[in-house]
Amino acid sequence: MTTTTTTPLWEVFIRPRSGLPHKHCGSVHAADAELAVQAARDVYTRRGESVSIWVVPSAAIVASDPNDKDQLFEPTASKIYRHPTFYDIPDEVGHM
Amino acid sequence: MYTQGLNSKDDKPAGPEDTARLGRFQAIVDAEDKIEPNDWMPESYRKTLVRQISQHAHSEIIGMQPEGNWITRAPSLRRKAALLAKIQDEAGHGLYLYAAAETLGISREELYEQLLSGRAKYSSIFNYPTPTWADIGAIGWLVDGAAIMNQIPLCRCSFGPYARAMIRICKEESFHQRQGYEIMLTLCRGTPEQKAMAQDALNRWWWPVLMMFGPSDKESLHSADSSKWKIKRFSNDDLRQKFVDATVPQGHFLGLTFPDPALAYNEATQHWEYGEIDWSEFKRVITGDGPMNKERMARRRATEADGEWVREAAAVYAAKRKARQAAAKVAAE
């Protein structure tokens, strides 16, 4: 095969309906942004899954390190006072 | 299934450092949690998945050919539109799966190269010809039916990207099977010639479809690791039996007979028992000597070569635009 250069990878985000956020759904290879949107449309929206597409160069994404998972996210598990159910309100007060 | 060529073994002993990580890895798998691309995983897990997912992807891509054979000759616009949509889905499924394989650290170019050079395998089923329209019905009903049987448990596979790809694929696949069965039903309710055509297709596809599930459990080398890692949840023979049990009544509803004199319902086990599969045929076809292997590969290579100028032009255009944008930015500053 004579592929000259590696075609860049793009991450695809689709918005299923207006009012909802764009959500990651997969990735495509494409030479440029315009072709990436086209490819994303063909690959990920054949059944009315989307009203809007974002494509982002995969190389531009900065992600947290899986090894830091505990350090980053574990502390929130012990902070139960951040949830409304932590506080006792008498039933007589009604819904709050 | 689409990954029947997994039947070879490679072993490498784990080092001392690996043992602790291996324990953590297995604990995640045992807890039915998912392994994600950046998580540590044993090399053999990675290798098995690259091989399985890429074989699956190659199968989707090669699988477009037997059906593509009938696009221009579909008997009505309705059938043609459905067939086109189905084949487009197969391309989409191939792409979801290539993307999942790439998260394991192999490039798309390498994956293509493995297919085009003949080093990578794809499902034996796509090396059979489609001489009549009834074959399109039989493929949807039987080949896609067998694929669904295999793919539903893969939606719960331990590797996140593969599981997510399979969920999408399974959602789309059920239309494939129904459109195939509908073609068979129409033929079976048509003229005697049409019904005979449906019967002929069943006769030719039945045994190759049973082979799709891969070697019998006695011969299958990879099952132990794959089930420990929750990649594979049911054995080849279990899935094959499930498929036979589901499919035989559907065939009888069509008024067709199966080309297996040993096929009989066992009241005690509540299963349909089937005759001996010709494994020598399976081995021949999977290693390259099936009726259509050469043609399928030749077509795939020609398509790849024919598309080269398009990829090249797109890359050159993208580079030119990038350079122009950079120049405009400099000019503006």
Side-chain angles (χ1 to χ4, degrees), chain B residues 286-330:
Chain B
I286 195 83
T287 52
D289 197 20
M292 300 296 281
N293 295 58
K294 284 196 185 70
E295 184 166 335
R296 299 287 185 244
M297 286 309 298
R299 173 75 68 87
R300 187 71 213 111
R301 289 191 188 111
T303 305
E304 188 69 20
D306 290 348
E308 181 58 29
W309 72 270
V310 180
R311 291 190 295 277
E312 216 170 290
V316 171
Y317 181 65
K320 191 172 82 178
R321 247 203 338 194
K322 217 172 168 182
R324 268 193 200 153
Q325 275 163 2
K329 210 175 151 199
V330 171

Side-chain angles (χ1 to χ4, degrees), chain A residues 67, chain B residues 13-25 40-43:
Chain A
N67 295 322
Chain B
E17 188 235 5
D18 282 357
T19 333
R21 287 167 144 185
L22 198 59
R24 280 202 296 273
F25 166 85
W40 183 89
M41 60 186 84
E43 234 2 77

Side-chain angles (χ1 to χ4, degrees), chain A residues 16-71:
Chain A
R17 268 181 295 130
S18 52
L20 293 179
H22 285 77
K23 208 175 149 193
H24 184 247
C25 70
S27 50
V28 292
H29 283 274
D32 61 24
E34 205 178 314
L35 288 173
V37 171
Q38 199 96 66
R41 173 209 172 255
D42 289 345
V43 176
Y44 292 104
T45 69
R46 289 191 302 279
R47 286 176 175 75
E49 292 94 336
S50 169
V51 294
S52 164
I53 298 174
W54 286 353
V55 293
V56 178
S58 303
I61 290 183
V62 180
S64 63
D65 186 337
N67 295 322
D68 296 342
K69 198 170 74 184
D70 291 349
Q71 172 189 328

Side-chain angles (χ1 to χ4, degrees), chain B residues 27 119 189:
Chain B
R119 270 190 301 138
R189 287 174 175 170

Side-chain angles (χ1 to χ4, degrees), chain B residues 19-276:
Chain B
T19 333
R21 287 167 144 185
L22 198 59
R24 280 202 296 273
F25 166 85
Q26 192 62 46
I28 294 174
V29 172
D30 289 344
E32 297 284 334
D33 219 341
K34 298 288 180 217
I35 302 295
E36 293 296 334
N38 291 334
D39 294 338
W40 183 89
M41 60 186 84
E43 234 2 77
S44 42
Y45 177 81
R46 183 186 301 275
K47 263 193 195 156
T48 299
L49 277 171
V50 167
R51 227 160 24 151
Q52 173 160 345
I53 300 171
S54 62
Q55 280 185 23
H56 195 158
H58 299 328
S59 299
E60 300 282 357
I61 298 300
I62 297 289
M64 296 162 77
Q65 291 186 34
E67 295 180 293
N69 188 28
W70 280 90
I71 291 175
T72 57
R73 292 176 287 163
S76 68
L77 188 57
R78 180 180 184 273
R79 296 288 185 211
K80 186 173 182 164
L83 186 58
L84 272 168
K86 179 179 188 299
I87 295 170
Q88 198 187 2
D89 275 353
E90 309 299 1
H93 297 174
L95 295 177
Y96 307 156
L97 289 162
Y98 280 129
E102 284 173 82
T103 66
L104 290 159
I106 185 164
S107 73
R108 182 74 59 96
E109 286 75 14
E110 274 175 276
L111 292 167
Y112 283 170
E113 198 276 326
Q114 289 178 355
L115 173 65
L116 295 175
S117 68
R119 270 190 301 138
K121 294 198 169 63
Y122 57 86
S123 178
S124 58
I125 198 72
F126 302 118
N127 291 317
Y128 290 88
T130 47
T132 75
W133 171 250
D135 292 322
I136 301 307
I139 287 180
W141 171 38
L142 300 170
V143 176
D144 290 289
I148 291 169
M149 211 46 102
N150 183 55
Q151 289 169 353
I152 284 173
L154 285 173
C155 295
R156 293 188 293 129
C157 152
S158 61
F159 186 58
Y162 193 26
R164 290 191 286 274
M166 291 318 306
I167 290 169
R168 286 189 73 94
I169 291 175
C170 285
K171 269 192 204 157
E172 299 180 352
E173 200 85 53
S174 73
F175 124 65
H176 297 183
Q177 192 186 14
R178 290 172 66 104
Q179 70 92 33
Y181 193 74
E182 197 199 69
I183 291 172
M184 294 300 275
L185 200 57
T186 307
L187 290 171
C188 290
R189 287 174 175 170
T191 64
E193 289 83 358
Q194 286 171 324
K195 188 167 181 185
M197 193 194 270
Q199 180 64 58
D200 167 64
L202 175 58
N203 292 349
R204 283 181 290 110
W205 289 95
W206 179 245
W207 290 108
V209 163
L210 293 189
M211 292 173 200
M212 282 177 71
F213 293 90
S216 83
D217 296 347
K218 300 183 290 279
E219 313 262 328
S220 195
L221 293 175
H222 267 271
S223 288
D225 277 348
S226 281
S227 50
K228 186 179 76 192
W229 291 329
K230 299 197 194 292
I231 297 173
K232 196 172 172 60
R233 291 183 181 258
F234 297 97
S235 76
N236 293 350
D237 285 339
D238 285 351
L239 287 168
R240 191 166 11 243
Q241 185 63 56
K242 262 174 104 151
F243 171 76
V244 171
D245 289 342
T247 308
V248 169
Q250 295 167 357
H252 291 159
F253 181 84
L254 294 171
L256 298 177
T257 53
F258 288 82
D260 178 2
L263 189 71
Y265 191 67
N266 183 329
E267 285 290 348
T269 61
Q270 310 259 306
H271 288 301
W272 283 93
E273 288 171 358
Y274 51 92
E276 195 58 42

